């Protein structure tokens, strides 16, 4: 090789070095496109415009439930809004508990920056993967830095719309949780699912009691008080709900059904069954409509969360009939005092014996109720909640209820069961007079390289208009305080964003009753105790 050739080779090599270097800079710049100007403390203390500037142009991946068409529509809406308004690209996969498991493995493998997820949404079970204060197994993988007692959530302009109880559940369940490091987004409430073609929740704005049925003949609509046994129905009914409720005549529900069938050939469209409003009514209702209520077994891995929430609701609503002897069950006379009692007891309970002594009434109630529930469906160990509710009257081609039909079932996330395309029948949901709510949260993994963009997305999700859109698209609950007034508006959030758009409040506890909903914290933390004792008692 002569001198000229050597010079050419040297120039080419130099050019290759420059190209590789440029490419390396490009890759590094792409991988570290966020937080190169704002560190974790800056994200909490900087003004919001600085956060927006830092987030611009970033691409983030979030963990979000996407198992149904309606939620996918919301995600598409989210993607378009974030790109057009903030130049942030959003993609998604998995759900909270799975995603935090991935984060935990990343940290175990030394991935402390550039993690897969930038924002994760899910129930409180996901926190166990990313924060632990257990001696010898301490870890903290969430972005929970605080400055003067404030975290990243406090830096969000829209955090002002969160309720005063937004962190009740996570702070009571997650040991070591720091305030301001998780933003509430939506929740699951104890809901009861029914087919409105066969059952009636209310008529002319008046609630139909659990022991009243609405009957329709060819010309009239009337109401009858019913029981499992009673007088034979003879086409005598009251013109109003209240008159039927106070009537001294109780008709046999079997005779009412038989009469309507014999006269019109079908029960469909002629008998509408009233629904229970509380656990005491549910017990009475189950005796009238035997085998027509069900709820998923706690050993059913696809439905454990649902079952544990109904058990929690029972704990809060009931107490011992004889507190001294610790026998029986009864509706608590003072709900607020009972909630205080339950929370106080759960804070110190650590064994099955202690749990049974304090909350034995829970199992006394279940033992009584389960004499009348549909165990062949409710004790299904593998079926999903949707499959269980799919056995509902009308959904299974039956026109009258029988051993394979369920009049009402349980869910905690109404959106899952309100999907009209998931059933061959009508589905509606309602809440008892008292119910429990399980809060869901947004968290940022500590190894996210796009924290500013994650914050911008979380702030967008707390916008009143977005909360309304989420509810209307998915049926999932909103979580902001709608009595507050949004910036630039003259009326409160409820009036401005929800009143005209929401027509069916049987899906959720009405807005004026939200202060009655008990936020479940401690009970779900004792779920293993609840389930173990229950199955020891029923022998499976």
């Amino acid at each position: 090789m002569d001198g000229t050739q050597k010079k050419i080779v040297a120039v080419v090599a130099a050019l290759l070095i420059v190209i590789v270097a440029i490419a390396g800079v490009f890759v590094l710049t792409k991988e570290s496109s966020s937080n190169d100007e704002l560190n974790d403390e800056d994200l909490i203390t900087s003004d919001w415009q600085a956060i927006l500037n830092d987030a611009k142009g970033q691409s983030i991946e979030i963990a979000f439930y996407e198992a149904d068409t309606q939620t996918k529509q919301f995600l598409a809406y989210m993607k378009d809004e974030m790109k057009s308004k903030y130049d942030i690209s959003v993609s998604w996969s998995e759900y909270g508990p799975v995603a935090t498991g991935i984060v935990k493995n990343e940290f175990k493998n030394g991935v402390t920056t550039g993690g897969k997820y930038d924002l994760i949404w899910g129930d409180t079970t996901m926190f166990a993967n990313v924060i632990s204060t257990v001696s010898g197994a301490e870890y903290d993988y969430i972005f929970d830095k605080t400055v003067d007692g404030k975290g990243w959530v406090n830096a969000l302009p829209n955090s002002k719309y969160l309720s005063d109880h937004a962190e009740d559940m996570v702070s009571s369940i997650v040991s070591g949780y720091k305030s301001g490091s998780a933003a509430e987004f939506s929740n699951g409430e104890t809901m009861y699912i029914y087919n409105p073609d066969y059952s009636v929740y209310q008529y002319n704005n008046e609630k139909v009691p659990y022991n009243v049925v609405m009957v329709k003949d060819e010309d009239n609509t009337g109401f009858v008080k019913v029981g499992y046994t009673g007088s034979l129905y003879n086409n005598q009914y009251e013109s109003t709900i209240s008159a039927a409720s106070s009537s001294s005549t109780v008709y046999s529900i079997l005779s009412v059904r038989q009469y309507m069938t014999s006269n019109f050939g079908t029960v469909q469209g002629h008998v509408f069954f009233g629904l229970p409003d509380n656990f005491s009514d549910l017990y009475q209702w189950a005796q009238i409509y035997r085998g027509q209520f069900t709820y998923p077994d706690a050993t059913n891995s696809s439905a454990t969360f649902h079952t544990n929430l109904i058990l929690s609701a029972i704990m809060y609503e009931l107490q011992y009939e004889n507190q001294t002897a610790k026998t029986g069950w009864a509706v608590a006379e003072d709900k607020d005092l009972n909630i205080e009692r339950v929370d106080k007891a759960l804070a110190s309970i650590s064994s099955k014996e202690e749990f049974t002594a304090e909350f034995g009434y829970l199992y006394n109630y279940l033992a009584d109720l389960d004499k009348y529930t549909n165990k062949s469906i409710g004790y299904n160990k593998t079926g999903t909640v949707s499959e269980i509710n799919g056995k509902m009257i009308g959904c299974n081609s039956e026109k009258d209820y029988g051993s394979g039909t369920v009049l009402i079932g349980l869910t905690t996330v109404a959106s899952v069961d309100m999907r009209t395309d998931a059933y061959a029948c009508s589905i509606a949901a309602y809440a008892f007079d008292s119910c429990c709510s399980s809060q869901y949260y947004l968290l940022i993994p500590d190894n996210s390289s796009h924290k500013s963009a994650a914050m911008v997305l979380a702030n967008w999700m707390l916008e009143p208009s977005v909360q309304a859109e989420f509810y209307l698209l998915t049926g999932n609950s909103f979580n902001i305080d709608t009595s507050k007034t949004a910036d630039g508006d003259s009326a409160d959030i409820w009036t401005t964003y929800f009143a005209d758009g929401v027509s069916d409040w049987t899906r959720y506890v009405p807005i004026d009753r939200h202060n009655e909903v008990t936020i479940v914290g401690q009970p779900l933390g004792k779920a293993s105790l609840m389930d173990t004792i229950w199955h020891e008692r029923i022998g499976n």
Side-chain angles (χ1 to χ4, degrees), residues 67-141:
D68 58 67
T69 302
Q70 287 74 9
T71 302
K72 288 178 180 178
Q73 290 176 349
F74 175 75
L75 288 169
Y77 166 64
M78 171 196 293
K79 182 176 182 178
D80 291 344
E81 287 279 292
M82 293 305 293
K83 187 62 178 177
S84 63
K85 290 185 176 180
Y86 306 107
D87 192 21
I88 295 173
S89 299
V90 181
S91 60
W92 50 84
S93 62
E94 301 296 354
Y95 177 57
V98 175
T100 54
I102 292 173
V103 171
K104 183 177 182 179
N105 286 330
E106 285 178 339
F107 274 93
K108 282 186 174 181
N109 293 319
V111 182
T112 59
T113 187
K116 177 178 176 64
Y117 291 106
D118 301 295
L119 189 69
I120 297 175
W121 178 62
D123 60 73
T124 50
T125 60
M126 67 179 178
F127 285 91
N129 286 321
V130 286
I131 184 169
S132 171
T133 57
V134 177
S135 179
E138 299 95 342
Y139 53 82
D140 187 349
Y141 304 143

Side-chain angles (χ1 to χ4, degrees), residues 134-370:
V134 177
S135 179
E138 299 95 342
Y139 53 82
D140 187 349
Y141 304 143
I142 67 174
F143 177 36
D144 58 3
K145 184 177 182 61
T146 59
V147 179
D148 296 329
K150 298 187 180 300
W152 68 266
V153 176
N154 305 109
L156 306 180
N158 290 335
S159 65
K160 62 190 173 188
Y161 300 130
L162 290 169
S163 75
D164 294 337
H165 302 286
E167 293 181 298
D168 280 6
M169 190 167 178
V170 66
S171 61
S172 64
I173 287 181
V174 181
S175 178
Y177 172 78
K178 297 178 184 176
S179 180
S181 54
E184 184 190 3
F185 181 74
S186 190
N187 60 67
E189 297 171 356
T190 43
M191 305 294 299
Y192 300 88
I193 306 300
Y194 67 100
N195 184 340
D197 292 337
Y198 295 86
S199 303
V200 57
Y201 180 73
Q202 61 182 17
Y203 182 76
N204 287 343
N205 296 319
E206 186 176 356
K207 177 68 176 67
V208 180
Y210 74 92
N211 59 347
V212 167
V213 299
M214 183 174 75
V215 294
K216 288 187 176 183
D217 60 24
E218 295 175 326
D219 302 310
N220 302 293
T221 296
F223 303 92
V224 178
K225 189 173 185 178
V226 295
Y228 185 68
T229 59
S231 302
L232 293 179
Y233 179 70
N234 59 1
N235 203 28
Q236 299 297 311
Y237 49 74
E238 303 291 344
S239 59
T240 65
I241 297 171
S242 57
S245 299
S246 59
S247 175
S248 59
T249 302
V250 178
Y251 292 100
S252 162
I253 183 59
L254 297 178
S255 70
V256 173
R257 291 167 55 217
Q258 289 168 359
Y259 179 86
M260 300 305 290
T261 300
S262 64
N263 273 261
F264 302 107
T266 175
V267 172
Q268 184 177 20
H270 297 289
V271 177
F272 295 84
F273 309 98
L275 297 168
D277 268 341
N278 53 59
F279 288 108
S280 179
D281 283 358
L282 175 62
Y283 174 64
Q284 302 296 330
W285 186 94
Q287 290 183 76
I288 298 172
Y289 306 105
R290 300 190 176 200
Q292 301 309 314
F293 171 71
T294 193
Y295 57 103
D297 182 72
T299 62
N300 182 339
S301 60
S302 69
T304 301
F305 179 76
H306 297 253
T307 308
N308 286 337
L309 202 54
I310 193 175
L311 299 186
S312 301
I314 294 170
M315 289 171 60
Y316 280 115
E317 183 171 320
L318 304 182
Q319 62 183 24
Y320 281 114
E321 182 178 35
N322 187 319
Q323 184 63 38
T324 303
K326 295 189 181 301
T327 57
W329 60 269
V331 175
E333 295 180 2
D334 188 313
K335 180 186 174 183
D336 291 335
L337 286 178
N338 207 48
I339 291 172
E340 185 179 335
R341 174 191 64 81
V342 170
D343 285 339
K344 183 178 179 180
L346 286 170
S348 60
I349 285 175
S350 60
S351 69
K352 290 192 300 181
E353 293 73 22
E354 291 173 332
F355 193 95
T356 302
E358 187 67 38
F359 302 113
Y361 61 83
L362 164 63
Y363 305 103
N364 297 340
Y365 175 79
L366 289 174
D368 286 344
L369 179 67
D370 283 354

Side-chain angles (χ1 to χ4, degrees), residues 481-501:
D481 185 346
T482 57
S483 66
K484 295 181 178 180
T485 302
D487 293 341
D489 293 336
S490 56
D492 60 30
I493 292 171
W494 165 254
T495 302
T496 304
Y497 297 98
F498 287 88
D500 291 336

Side-chain angles (χ1 to χ4, degrees), residues 461-495:
M461 293 170 77
L462 296 180
E463 282 277 359
S465 60
V466 174
Q467 293 262 316
E469 189 72 13
F470 181 66
Y471 173 79
L472 293 170
L473 277 176
T474 71
N476 274 312
S477 184
F478 53 88
N479 61 276
I480 57 175
D481 185 346
T482 57
S483 66
K484 295 181 178 180
T485 302
D487 293 341
D489 293 336
S490 56
D492 60 30
I493 292 171
W494 165 254
T495 302

